[in-house]
Amino acid sequence: MKIIDMHCSIGSGIETQQSIDELLPAMDRCRIERSVVSTVDQFRTVYNRAGNEAVLKAVRQHPDRLTGFAVVNPWFGKDGIAELERAVGQGLRGLALFTHQQGCFLTDNIVFDLVHAADTLRIPVYCHTGTPIFALPLGLMELALRFPDASFIMGSAGYADGWYDVIPAASHAENIYVETSYCPIQLIQTIIEEIGIERVLFGSDAPGNSQSSELLKFEELELSPEERNHVFYENALRLLATRD
Amino acid sequence: MPLDGFVATLKDQGIDGALLFTFDGFFHEDTRPYNDELKAAVDRYPSFLHAFGTVHPRGGERALEEMRRCVRDLGMRGFKFHSWLQAFCASSKSMFPLVEQAAELKVPMLFHDGTPPYSSTLQVAYLARCFPRATIILGHSGLRDSWKEALYAARKYPNLMLQFCGTPQIGMRTIIQEIGWERCIFGSDFPLTGMRSPAQMARQIEEIDVSGQAKEAILGGNLKRLLESAAAATADRGG
């Protein structure tokens, strides 16, 4: 069975470190074919270009194993949009937002401007969710409703305190995909039942949680091989494919 | 705080009327005694006080029955919820029948907002989205930082009203400029916020650079109209 991990971080941050020399063997052990990677810590908030460059370097070294998402702090405004366009031009395939660290609501105009640029570039948008006050599922719902042609990934399914609003958000905005890192097993089951298997994506948030422990959750879920293939592979593949 | 002193303190500060909510009632599933207490207060000062009752969504059918009793028998003109104190999530499905009931009774619902994870501004706005016929009031218009979310939601959901109560002046001013004053009302959270808070918080509105008409409407006219229209709806049903 093929597996794509929709969200991991690489980089040497002040608090968070993970190199590809650590990630790739972990992927091998878990038989994960591909991981979607983006940057960490100060590279999410301030040094966006340096973070994106490090991710680009990793992706170029391992194009068969890694897909990179660009990170831009919305507060950089026009300069940030230019960095997004540059990084995508160089080979990154999505935008990742960490508004809990970047310090803005998902419904702020600076976010709309940046996501408009991502929509124009036809790339998916990953949004960290679950951290009050700046990164909650209903903020993502409003953002996704504003850009109906773009695809959004609800990172960590609102874990923890946003869990109540995962299904409300994803059922009102059909362009939201839910990524399962940290998400309790029972809630994954409910999400699958309520919003459908086509919009659920496996992710680990490694190094926050290990890929192996996140994969283990799915052994408890009674999914058919076809359903597993959706969550682990097909849905991600569809999302990462270039939009026309 | 004893009722007579409560009313006298408000009148001292030039307040002409007050909308009263329970506080202790938020800690109980059976809210009937607290709603009765509000009714008794209104009966003592009928030309000064109005009241919004409360119920708990865990009460199910009993809560709906209590909502009908509040409006029909106790003469209440709306409902107040404080979801994090009441220990439920504002956007949870258990609220849906209550919102439907309020819409049917044609009375507004006011929610504490601005406090994730159980009473975020967008969770309250979500109810307005799901029930366009209901009138939903953001009790604090985002409280502090979430005023931007309150503004975004108010632009989008016309059945959302905004109470200025603890909202930063910059937020109040931007909201009035962007969506107008017609859906904005004033509140002070007295006496929890302090004995002089009504005067102090009214001053914040008076200082905002908007028209006199806007200020007058926000400081009373809009709420008066809202309460009158809720009362008229009750009278239409012969209730």
Side-chain angles (χ1 to χ4, degrees), chain A residues 105 108 133 142 165 168 172, chain B residues 91 123 126 129 148 156-157:
Chain A
F105 288 103
D108 278 347
I133 188 172
E142 294 293 353
D165 294 324
H172 282 251
Chain B
S91 52
Q123 283 171 335
Y126 176 76
R129 172 182 174 83
K148 292 198 284 182
K156 198 165 165 186
Y157 306 119

Side-chain angles (χ1 to χ4, degrees), chain B residues 68-88:
Chain B
R68 295 189 289 269
R69 186 183 80 97
C70 282
V71 171
R72 290 172 185 165
D73 301 343
L74 306 185
M76 288 179 177
R77 304 289 178 248
F79 293 92
K80 160 87 191 260
F81 297 90
H82 199 307
S83 47
W84 71 260
L85 280 182
Q86 290 179 289
F88 69 90

Side-chain angles (χ1 to χ4, degrees), chain A residues 71-82:
Chain A
V71 176
V72 171
N73 187 334
W75 282 108
F76 282 118
K78 286 197 173 78
D79 292 344
I81 290 170

Side-chain angles (χ1 to χ4, degrees), chain A residues 183-201:
Chain A
C183 185
I185 295 162
Q186 183 53 49
L187 183 56
I188 297 175
Q189 180 72 50
T190 310
I191 291 167
I192 290 170
E193 285 165 13
E194 296 279 329
I195 71 161
I197 198 85
E198 286 81 11
R199 287 200 280 145
V200 180
L201 302 163

